[in-house]
Amino acid sequence: MKPSLYFRPTNLQEALTALSANSWSVLAGGTDFYPARLGKPLEENVLDVSAIDGQEKISFNDGRWRLSLQATWSDLIADNRLPARFDGLKRAAREVGGVQIQNRATICGNLCNASPAADGIPNLLALDAQVELMSLQGRRTLPIADFVKGNRRTFRREDELVTALLVPDSGRPARSVFLKLGARKYLVISIVMVGAVLELAEDSRIVSARIAVGACSPVAQRLPLLEEGLIGRRLETALADMVHERHLAPLAPIDDVRGTADYRRDAVITLLQRSLTELAR
Amino acid sequence: MTQQSIRFTVNDTPAEVSVDPLRRLADVLREDLGLTGTKIGCNAGDCGACTVLVDGRQSCACLVPIGQAAGHAIVTVEGLVAKGQLSQLQQAFQDHGAAQCGICTPGMLMAASDLLAQTPSPSEQDVLDALGGVLCRCTGYRKIVDAVLSLGKTTAAPVSRNAVVGARLPKVDGLAKMTGAERYGADSWPADSLVLRAIRSPHHHARFGFGDFAALFAAHPGLVKILTAADIPGQNVFGIYPTGKDQPVFAEGYARFRGEAICALVGDAATIAAIRDDEVPVEWETLSPLQGVEAALSPHAAQLHETAKGNVLIEGRLARGDVDAAITKADIRLSDNFQTSFVEHAYIEPEAGYARRVGDRLEIFATTQTPYMDRDEVALIMGLRQEQIRIIPSAVGGGFGGKLDLSLQPMIGVAAWLLNRPVRCTYSRPESMASTTKRHPASIAITVAATKEGRLSAVRFHGDYNTGAYASWGPTVANRVPVHAMGPYHVPAVYCTTRAIYTNDTPAGAFRGFGVPQAAIALETMLDDLAEKLDLCPFEFRYLNALDKGSVTASGQRLDASVGLRACLDALRPQWERLRLEAADFNETSRHLRRGVGVGCGWYGIGNTSLPNPSIMRIGLKRDGCITLYSGALDIGQGSNTIMMQICADALGVPLSIIDLVTGDTDLTPDAGKTSASRQTFVSGAALRLAADDLRGQILRLANVGEPGRFALDGRTLRVSDGVTDQVIDLARLPAAGENGDVLVGEGRFDPPTTPLDADGQGIPYATYSFSAQLALVEVDIELGTTKVLRIAAAADVGKAINPTQVEGQLHGGVAQGLGLALMEEYIPGRTENLHDYLIPTIGDVPPIDTYIIEDEEPLGPFGAKGIGEPALVPTAPAILNAIRHATGARVTRVPATPDRLRAALRATGRYEAAK
């Protein structure tokens, strides 16, 4: 067995240099890292990014919110500066494991783990978040949908580090929601979840709509047809009635221990209807 | 991984360790710093047992690399005690009975500490949210919630410091559970211990052979031994029943289930952790597995055990009256089929312990519910005499039946014996789930019949119980179920049959209720069907048919005393009527949420079914005037230590302060049988009363005083009086009578009076029965198929509550497990071997529980007491399922009623459409 490395850099440059020189597993909050390795010896190089400093965990600049790689779910929940468009993501944050997990797990880590049932991803899609990747080659950004490749796979290159999530904020009034269906109250993996963000004009007409569904496909999916149908409508109309089976085309639910594909198809319609009802409330 | 020096503080004290920075904080706390108060339940963030504070915030210590602790402040449960005093929070837990087994207590305390530091006067919702990440399997959470909410309030817990029977004495062994000092199976080991890890079959059914181990030894110099079946000194087989032992310690070329041990690696801890399972050279030939009873019963099925034709391990039967005629003659008859699933005990403490050789004896310190059976079985496996084996039970972090079978004891025993080195082992969570027993899945066919006046006429019941790859407690289930399947009702004609069927699934064994909860689901659902068809109130229908004093059971046993079912129902009736009205009101205006109220009843024979079931208890009096209670009645969290101390103090008339408790060590205590079948209070408690009488008699005879004599102990001075003359005896002058320095030793033996059952199951299977009834108020989301239980009212006739707080604790815990059985728990071999795919109720799933303790005294029981552990659970799932039906009209015939199944059942009623 070859000896493996552990490196906990304190600045970004060290981290990127290490990534360019070697193959590493990136460790942030550890809450997905350890469960995935239960009962197996550690035989990999581990880059622990938890000590990289120099950046505010959550900041706002030039019309964009920046959630840095150190930001945990608890940081997000506690941040009172975040506008209403983040309400859905905050609700998702409260559903990520128990408070113990929320205190350690990072938002970026949840995305990089790329579980089909990751509670954070539907609302990140609905927030139109961009992923910031850094390497010695430079910086690039990708939309969430172009970052997550599949079940537990992303398009991050081996020499890259996800350094932040960037959330555009038009400053327009917005509403957001997150609904999760699980078989118990706490510590539960989603059967189906819906995240949505609507941006509104002064007259409460919907000017942009982003609605994403999780746990019904290898990667959480937005529902463009439904979104298009919402644009231009007023919030007070019976939005829930607009949800139609044909909107679910991007989804590919499966049977697993948490529920059948048929059940998921049925339940997601209900969750979408309830999400829209709640947004209009 | 290279070691690094890491500095941090633990409980305000600087700590420095030189370790692999990726080691888990939980492991470093426990192994390097000796802080074993932090428990490891899953190593995956699923259970929260390892919760500690990192810079004041609750965190799972199993998910924090020690490298990330550098420079930070860690607080563990050991840090809560200040100046030798429990914190207010710890004291509240102790006073409220918030700990049972105590394995989750450190995690709960730490999560609550974080909450209270931020929110000194939390709401109930705050408490639920803050503690939602810690699982508890014993308490049903409600007393934990009460304890946390009590802080900052002036109302104290209703605690009695008095030991008398009936008092709310806090747990006598509770302090160690609060401080982290309690030693569970994984918390104690000799310093020079080797570590053992079993290698297990990844296949449900396979033949296998080993390759050459030489390369593995060469690659891992720290690997000391690979144990296989060939190393077993005695017989490579174990099992509950003396004539039916069928399970090997290590499979011999043929594995009958996924998770079966085929060999074990022994070496230093780092080496054993570094070896991948797939490095062990094994050639597998997979065979088609028989999963589920249908596959095992098919005519072409493989024969899994030579002795069991057609894979039928055993059949049970009870017949009374002419059931065919009674069904034909009845005014109404209904039939249906029911399915239940494997249920995992999910105690938060995985199996753990160590063994060491002491001369020509073997000592095993391990988590267990049955030290004496362990001793006898290990002796056969070791080829040693029983006296050569000493079983020292650790504190038990939950059992519920799952620690009645041997697990790691023979493996560590053989290793320690052969290597003459202490050997320790701790199961991982997946290993615990894959390899230890489960609740039997049942496939039930049932017919019930009644008169139009609502009198039950007949019950015909057949249950096939999937006992998995090995017998374990399959025979117990097959024999117990026919006696109980018609429920606690007067039914003139009964025909109940059962079979335990071998399959290639995980062995099913003992689990709180031994098959009775499964049968109750079928029967109690059918009773609601009958009530509906007869247009009767389901509650009053049960009351009408309830067993009462003078009733004759289906096994022909006349019940002359302690039949408190109707008293249970009387206690529940006001709430039944109110909740039914409230649910109807709610439903008038509700759209997608519908509420319903259901009732379920249960009964439970205490102790073994028609088999000898003795307990021996001993009390010693020492020269210094102290009493020693030698109790082999093992406390697995249910509270028998406290119960026995209360009985002992009251039966002798002495204060608790002069009684020392010695418990569960096969060298020190007589055989009190196993902690199962809800028997310890009734059987061992009765034996203890006899022991007290014996000691008291000896004391009176010593003073030559006749009845009604009294005695008092004042240090070494014993005063004995018959009301006329007083005798004063100096105990220090008496010769020691026992090996422990006791001058007098009282002993009591109690074996509940039962008779064998004849071929029709007629006889006296149990000396007494406990009765229980529960109501459930549920809210069903008809569009999603989810069920929220809003309230449970639980009544139980326990004969006499020796300690009401503990009876409530058993009721709460039984309700929580019954809720899980009804709604979410389904173990699927190979697919749900962790605590995130296998779901047990969290603190947010267990509703407020109203308890009603009925005390219809049992003349044979100590102070009238019977048992409560299992009767607490039996009615819960039926009550919930009947409440779902009341709410929605959907009948559930397969549990758990997961959201997808319930949604399908709702659609099947025709009342609810698909979402569109």
Side-chain angles (χ1 to χ4, degrees), chain B residues 811-896:
Chain B
L811 283 166
H812 290 187
V815 163
Q817 292 185 358
L819 188 155
L821 171 68
L823 298 179
M824 64 182 80
E825 298 194 33
E826 179 168 20
Y827 179 79
I828 304 169
R831 289 183 69 188
T832 60
E833 292 163 355
N834 58 62
L835 291 176
H836 57 263
D837 289 320
Y838 184 84
L839 302 182
I840 66 171
T842 68
I843 199 169
D845 298 299
V846 181
I849 301 167
D850 306 308
T851 54
Y852 302 87
I853 298 175
I854 305 300
E855 297 181 310
D856 190 343
E857 292 192 3
E858 165 54 52
L860 288 170
F863 298 94
K866 304 187 283 192
I868 180 60
E870 288 155 299
L873 178 147
V874 175
T876 311
I880 290 171
L881 299 176
N882 286 333
I884 290 173
R885 174 232 288 274
H886 178 234
T888 65
R891 286 174 78 256
V892 174
T893 56
R894 180 171 179 196
V895 293

Side-chain angles (χ1 to χ4, degrees), chain A residues 128-143:
Chain A
D128 205 17
Q130 300 269 317
V131 186
E132 179 188 83
L133 295 132
M134 301 279 279
S135 71
L136 289 185
Q137 314 301 316
R139 172 182 179 277
R140 64 172 179 146
T141 60
L142 288 175

Side-chain angles (χ1 to χ4, degrees), chain A residues 1 3-8 27-35 37-46 48-50 74 97-101 103-104 181-189 191 243-245 255-260 263 265-271 273-274, chain B residues 1-2 4 21-24 42-46 48 51 54 57-60 62-65 67-68 70 114 125 128-130 132-135 273-276 430 592 781 783-786 824 828 831-832 835-837 839-840 842-845 899-900 903 907 914-916:
Chain A
M1 198 175 68
S4 47
L5 304 171
Y6 172 81
F7 182 43
R8 191 173 186 230
L27 165 66
T31 57
D32 285 317
F33 178 90
Y34 283 102
R37 289 157 180 81
L38 181 58
K40 298 174 198 153
L42 285 171
E43 297 176 328
E44 64 213 295
N45 297 327
V46 176
D48 183 339
V49 297
S50 61
S74 292
V99 178
Q100 298 95 325
I101 305 297
N103 283 341
R104 306 289 304 180
L181 170 61
R184 70 178 176 188
K185 178 71 175 82
Y186 296 106
L187 297 176
V188 67
I189 297 175
I191 305 170
V243 178
H244 193 274
E245 234 178 290
D255 292 343
D256 68 9
V257 293
R258 282 173 272 284
T260 61
Y263 172 69
R265 255 186 225 102
D266 184 70
V268 73
I269 291 177
T270 298
L271 287 197
Q273 289 169 339
R274 289 185 187 177
Chain B
M1 191 73 63
T2 47
Q4 293 184 8
L22 278 175
R23 281 187 60 205
R24 299 159 185 260
C42 69
N43 261 333
D46 296 329
T51 299
V54 179
R57 306 306 301 274
Q58 57 166 309
S59 308
C60 287
C62 76
L63 301 180
V64 178
Q68 289 188 4
D114 181 357
Q125 191 59 50
L128 300 182
D129 288 343
V134 191
L135 297 179
I275 300 175
R276 295 190 319 271
H592 67 270
D781 184 326
E783 292 172 349
L784 294 175
T786 50
M824 64 182 80
I828 304 169
R831 289 183 69 188
T832 60
L835 291 176
H836 57 263
D837 289 320
L839 302 182
I840 66 171
T842 68
I843 199 169
D845 298 299
D900 60 339
R903 176 72 179 144
R907 297 270 303 277
K916 59 182 180 209

Side-chain angles (χ1 to χ4, degrees), chain A residues 65-69 89 107-109 111 124 129-132 144 147 162-167:
Chain A
W65 291 94
R66 188 169 198 282
L67 313 177
S68 86
L69 83 169
L89 189 62
I107 305 163
C108 288
L111 177 67
L124 289 174
Q130 300 269 317
V131 186
E132 179 188 83
I144 298 285
F147 174 74
V162 172
T163 47
L165 296 167
L166 306 170
V167 177

